[in-house]
Amino acid sequence: MPSSLITQDHIDTYQREGVVLIKGLFKDHVDLIRAGIERNMAEPGEYAAENLKEGEGGRFFDDYCNWQRIPEFVEVVNNSPAAEAAADLMQSQTVQMFHDHVLVKEPGTTKATPWHQDGPYYFVEGQQTVSFWSPMDAVTGATLRSVAGSHLWEKPVLPIRWLSEQNFYGDSDEYMPIPDPDAEGMPIREWEMEPGDAVAFNYYTLHGARGNTTKQRRRAFSLRLLGDDARYIERPGRTSPPFPGHDMKPGQILREDWFPIIYKR
């Protein structure tokens, strides 16, 4: 049976479209996550990035893989309903922690988050995956946009670096060029959201986000989680996150000392 937050309709939509809105997933943890984001921005990790070119207005900060050193994020990973909700959506017996991600667009940041799939950046393969994207501020325009059904495309989308716009792995027939969903009339899912709501999407769901031209901040917190069928895969180059020295071999379950099981049926 699904958990109290997740209905069968949520599960069916997630499996069919690769994206669904979960109202109030982190509603009891908003203040905690906000405090964690402030700590993260004051004490950035080794992967922190500023994603604007010279002359572009605002600020677009992101950072990931900090949950083990930021106590507020540890609390959210271990005690929020996210892990059980992930198990329901993925139809998985277990949920494994992959990483966290903070994305902050300050007021007046016109830069959009480019269209991309998370999966090609990662050293993970499998259909039982879920990312939760949750704003810590009410969002209308500066929200996440996802292409329904894109998690089932035959080819993944070429991953690029957000600032330099260079691709990660060089020329390869394994990847398709980045589409333009608006111009191509693709079915885009986009919602107005309150703090603590969450968009759940598959690692291979094409998504992006508008710039923040409002007068308020747009702080977003993401959890990236894995299910039963997730396995390590080698990519043609350095992945993002890279997790150097992991010593895993293709086909292995991700090592649990680095990527702990946070929920079991």
Side-chain angles (χ1 to χ4, degrees):
M1 290 292 292
S3 64
S4 57
L5 270 176
I6 305 299
T7 67
Q8 189 61 48
D9 186 57
H10 285 129
I11 295 168
D12 293 343
T13 301
Y14 187 74
Q15 296 291 323
R16 181 180 67 253
E17 299 200 341
V19 59
V20 69
L21 176 67
I22 311 297
K23 297 290 291 182
L25 182 67
F26 296 103
K27 64 181 176 62
D28 295 332
H29 296 81
V30 169
D31 289 342
L32 193 69
I33 294 172
R34 286 173 175 169
I37 290 173
E38 294 311 304
R39 188 190 298 269
N40 194 163
M41 296 184 77
E43 305 167 15
E46 61 179 310
Y47 302 124
E50 300 287 347
N51 295 289
L52 298 182
K53 297 176 181 177
E54 186 174 350
E56 292 180 317
R59 183 186 184 191
F60 181 8
F61 169 91
D62 86 295
D63 198 4
Y64 51 48
C65 301
N66 292 295
W67 75 273
Q68 289 165 308
R69 72 177 183 90
I70 294 180
E72 293 88 351
F73 295 168
V74 174
E75 175 75 15
V76 172
V77 169
N78 290 330
N79 295 309
S80 77
E84 185 178 4
D88 290 336
L89 294 171
M90 296 188 294
Q91 295 292 276
S92 179
Q93 297 300 305
T94 63
V95 176
Q96 195 169 9
M97 179 67 188
F98 189 33
H99 71 89
D100 60 287
H101 197 175
V102 164
L103 304 107
V104 178
K105 288 184 180 178
E106 300 290 3
T109 304
T110 58
K111 183 181 177 74
T113 304
W115 289 105
H116 66 286
Q117 296 170 322
D118 288 345
Y121 291 85
Y122 298 162
F123 53 44
V124 175
E125 65 175 348
Q127 270 297 319
Q128 287 173 300
T129 63
V130 65
S131 290
F132 291 115
W133 185 95
S134 181
M136 295 298 111
D137 307 279
V139 291
T140 53
T143 187
L144 194 74
R145 312 177 75 212
S146 303
V147 175
S150 52
H151 66 307
L152 301 175
W153 287 351
E154 288 185 10
K155 277 190 177 184
V157 172
L158 183 69
I160 64 164
R161 302 185 189 280
W162 289 359
L163 196 57
S164 69
E165 298 180 359
Q166 295 175 319
N167 75 56
F168 259 61
Y169 305 135
D171 295 330
S172 173
D173 291 337
E174 293 180 27
Y175 301 95
M176 64 181 282
I178 301 168
D180 184 340
D182 291 296
E184 297 175 41
M186 293 180 177
I188 297 172
R189 302 292 182 256
E190 182 177 11
W191 297 275
E192 294 185 1
M193 300 170 69
E194 294 299 320
D197 292 348
V199 176
F201 59 95
N202 184 283
Y203 287 2
Y204 281 91
T205 298
L206 188 75
H207 62 285
R210 299 182 190 274
N212 180 20
T213 57
T214 72
K215 295 181 180 179
Q216 70 172 17
R217 308 180 77 190
R218 197 230 58 191
R219 294 165 289 180
F221 176 73
S222 286
L223 288 182
R224 311 280 159 75
L225 305 174
L226 306 166
D228 297 335
D229 75 349
R231 297 292 186 273
Y232 173 73
I233 184 175
E234 285 189 347
R235 298 294 188 190
R238 181 179 184 266
T239 60
S240 175
F243 295 109
H246 58 72
D247 295 326
M248 291 182 291
K249 304 297 182 187
Q252 287 184 339
I253 295 171
L254 269 59
R255 52 185 296 177
E256 292 181 23
D257 55 338
W258 287 26
F259 308 99
I261 300 289
I262 59 172
Y263 182 81
K264 286 186 177 181
R265 291 286 184 203

